[in-house]
């Protein structure tokens, strides 16, 4: 569905770019995290450590995802767009998928 979004593997060095794109969805950080395969125990720890900041929780959760602390969901823009679609809806995910930092024209099609 998100053909424009690159499947290039993301890592912890991409955290700031990924957070910038996802920050607006911080209120649903826990559901996004679960959809990305972040363990519920990890979600609970992040929530406990940052009880008053959804943005900080989103940042920490994305860091865990990018560090590949799970094997359920490969960290790339395409899987992130798919998870956002499932949690916050298609229009937001489609909008993010059109962003130049999410697409990679150099990737082989």
């Amino acid at each position: 569905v998100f053909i424009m979004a690159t499947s290039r593997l993301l890592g912890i060095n991409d955290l700031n770019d990924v957070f910038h794109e996802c920050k607006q969805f911080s209120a649903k950080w826990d559901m996004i995290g679960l959809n990305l395969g972040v363990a519920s125990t990890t979600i609970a720890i992040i929530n406990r450590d940052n009880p008053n900041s959804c943005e900080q929780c989103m940042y920490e959760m994305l860091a865990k995802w990018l560090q590949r602390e799970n094997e359920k969901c490969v960290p790339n823009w395409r899987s992130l767009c798919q998870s956002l679609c499932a949690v916050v809806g298609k229009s937001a995910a489609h909008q993010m998928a059109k962003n130049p930092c999410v697409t990679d024209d150099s990737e082989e099609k």
Side-chain angles (χ1 to χ4, degrees):
V1 169
F2 297 101
I3 300 168
M4 295 175 65
T6 181
S7 60
R8 177 184 62 83
L9 198 61
L10 297 171
I12 196 66
N13 292 335
D14 298 299
L15 179 57
N16 287 333
D17 289 337
V18 173
F19 178 67
H20 177 75
E21 291 300 316
C22 295
K23 186 176 177 180
Q24 64 185 316
F25 308 115
S26 291
K28 296 187 178 189
W29 74 270
D30 51 348
M31 296 305 298
I32 294 167
L34 290 171
N35 200 278
L36 289 170
V38 177
S40 58
T41 53
T42 301
I43 297 286
I45 291 167
I46 292 170
N47 193 42
R48 181 198 67 205
D49 292 348
N50 305 283
N52 299 317
S53 176
C54 288
E55 286 185 6
Q56 187 62 37
C57 288
M58 175 68 96
Y59 187 86
E60 298 293 332
M61 178 276 294
L62 290 170
K64 296 293 186 188
W65 177 61
L66 291 170
Q67 291 169 342
R68 293 175 197 78
E69 295 214 348
N70 70 81
E71 296 298 323
K72 179 183 174 192
C73 186
V74 176
N76 61 43
W77 287 111
R78 192 171 295 158
S79 60
L80 182 58
C81 287
Q82 290 168 340
S83 291
L84 287 175
C85 181
V87 176
V88 299
K90 286 183 181 178
S91 65
H94 278 287
Q95 190 62 33
M96 187 173 92
K98 293 178 185 176
N99 189 308
C101 83
V102 176
T103 59
D104 183 358
D105 292 334
S106 67
E107 181 178 306
E108 292 181 25
K109 305 243 187 276

